[in-house]
Amino acid sequence: MDIFEEIVRMRRAGQRGALATIVHTNGSIPSFESSRMLVREDGGIVGTIGGGCVEADVWAAARDVMEREAPRKMIFNLNNEASFDNGLICGGTLEVFVEPILPQPIAYIFGGGHVSMAVAKAASAAGFGVVVIDDREQFANRDRFPMAEQIFINFEGAFAQLRPNASSYLIIVTRGHKEDMRVLSWAVRTDARYVGMIGSKRKVLSTYKALEAEGFRPKNSNASSRQWVWKSARSRRKRLPSASRLNSSPCAATRRPSHTRSSNASTKK
């Protein structure tokens, strides 16, 4: 199975993973530079970086990389001490870079007006998939939103079909307060990473009251006199199985991990 084809399939399916690549070697090692191993969210792997305790350590670290959505560099010294013998006494050194594989973020834009058009263009340029929802066909169409992957012309139909997840960003900019509240009441009960709605300061207060009347208590908000953004309290992550093997592996004593910050790592909103 081709690793890169599998990465494309996983991203399209909304699945996470981690790609481990040997980026530097020195001396004798059980694999070669540029070897890759893809670790899926369910723990399955594609490819190999040599097997043994190195691969076991990297597999465990890949689980953490998925969870944190941040890359990591690992350094292994495969010395000749018998205490570290796990079939990989090679005498060399290798560096492995482990990076997260994340689904494409999707911007669900509720409303087909001029604000929605501007947001859709910006989101598409930034690499987001775009989905547009409006109950007016003259506004929600391909002429106005040529970049949209999907267009819905019925709010209730969209609610029934859409399944927002941790890669979903819901942007509410409909034509009026009634429609905004209609969408918001649905949106805050989804698993979307981000929920945002445009509005005045007065609208913020009335929205809080309406949500509380429905039994919902937003935990994070940021209000201003010109706009209101509600940050989804349900942007939670599915916990991955424990990576306890990281500390119990025979290679753990010879590894010197180095953490690297990623400039494009996703940040929870």
Side-chain angles (χ1 to χ4, degrees):
M1 178 183 294
D2 183 82
I3 285 180
F4 295 105
E5 289 181 356
E6 179 65 3
I7 290 174
V8 171
R9 184 200 68 77
M10 289 168 57
R11 294 193 76 222
R12 287 177 176 171
Q15 299 171 358
R16 291 184 294 167
L19 179 64
T21 305
I22 296 179
V23 294
H24 180 71
T25 64
N26 184 30
S28 178
I29 66 166
S31 189
F32 56 91
E33 197 166 302
S34 80
S35 292
R36 295 181 176 89
M37 178 179 73
L38 174 66
V39 181
R40 300 190 188 95
E41 193 169 15
D42 63 4
I45 64 173
V46 178
T48 182
I49 54 172
C53 60
V54 168
E55 192 159 287
D57 265 16
V58 172
W59 180 92
R63 311 292 288 173
D64 184 63
V65 165
M66 285 183 227
E67 182 70 23
R68 296 177 182 272
E69 297 185 358
R72 179 174 179 179
K73 185 171 73 173
M74 306 175 72
I75 301 175
F76 296 89
N77 295 315
L78 305 179
N79 57 44
N80 292 315
E81 296 180 24
S83 60
F84 299 135
D85 187 0
N86 195 32
L88 293 178
I89 295 182
C90 305
T93 301
L94 70 155
E95 296 181 16
V96 181
F97 184 70
V98 188
E99 58 188 308
I101 302 298
L102 305 174
Q104 181 188 28
I106 305 295
Y108 295 90
I109 304 174
F110 293 84
H114 65 282
V115 174
S116 297
M117 291 178 67
V119 172
K121 289 178 182 178
S124 179
F128 284 70
V130 174
V131 176
V132 176
I133 307 96
D134 197 304
D135 57 359
R136 302 166 296 173
E137 192 170 357
Q138 65 269 34
F139 284 87
N141 57 64
R142 292 291 175 189
D143 291 335
R144 292 171 62 82
F145 297 96
M147 77 296 288
E149 297 179 0
Q150 287 181 284
I151 295 178
F152 292 86
I153 55 174
N154 181 287
F155 286 124
E156 295 301 328
F159 297 161
Q161 295 183 52
L162 298 179
R163 295 291 182 271
N165 55 35
S167 298
S168 303
Y169 295 72
L170 309 186
I171 302 154
I172 307 170
V173 282
T174 73
R175 65 182 181 275
H177 179 66
K178 180 180 179 182
E179 286 73 24
D180 283 348
M181 279 302 306
R182 180 182 176 191
V183 176
L184 184 63
S185 294
W186 167 80
V188 296
R189 291 172 173 81
T190 70
D191 289 325
R193 163 166 286 190
Y194 172 94
V195 177
M197 185 181 75
I198 194 169
S200 65
K201 196 168 185 179
R202 180 178 179 182
K203 186 175 181 178
V204 172
L205 297 175
S206 63
T207 298
Y208 279 151
K209 292 179 181 178
L211 288 173
E212 289 175 355
E214 294 181 7
F216 194 87
R217 301 291 188 274
K219 295 180 181 178
N220 275 316
S221 63
N222 179 22
S224 72
S225 59
R226 298 187 60 189
Q227 67 177 5
W228 178 71
V229 176
W230 187 87
K231 297 182 179 181
S232 176
R234 290 172 60 82
S235 58
R236 58 180 182 273
R237 279 276 187 265
K238 177 182 177 183
R239 297 295 298 177
L240 295 169
S242 171
S244 58
R245 286 197 291 169
L246 184 62
N247 295 323
S248 60
S249 167
C251 277
T254 68
R255 192 194 69 243
R256 293 184 288 113
S258 174
H259 296 275
T260 304
R261 289 185 178 274
S262 171
S263 60
N264 61 352
S266 300
T267 302
K268 290 189 178 181
K269 302 294 182 183

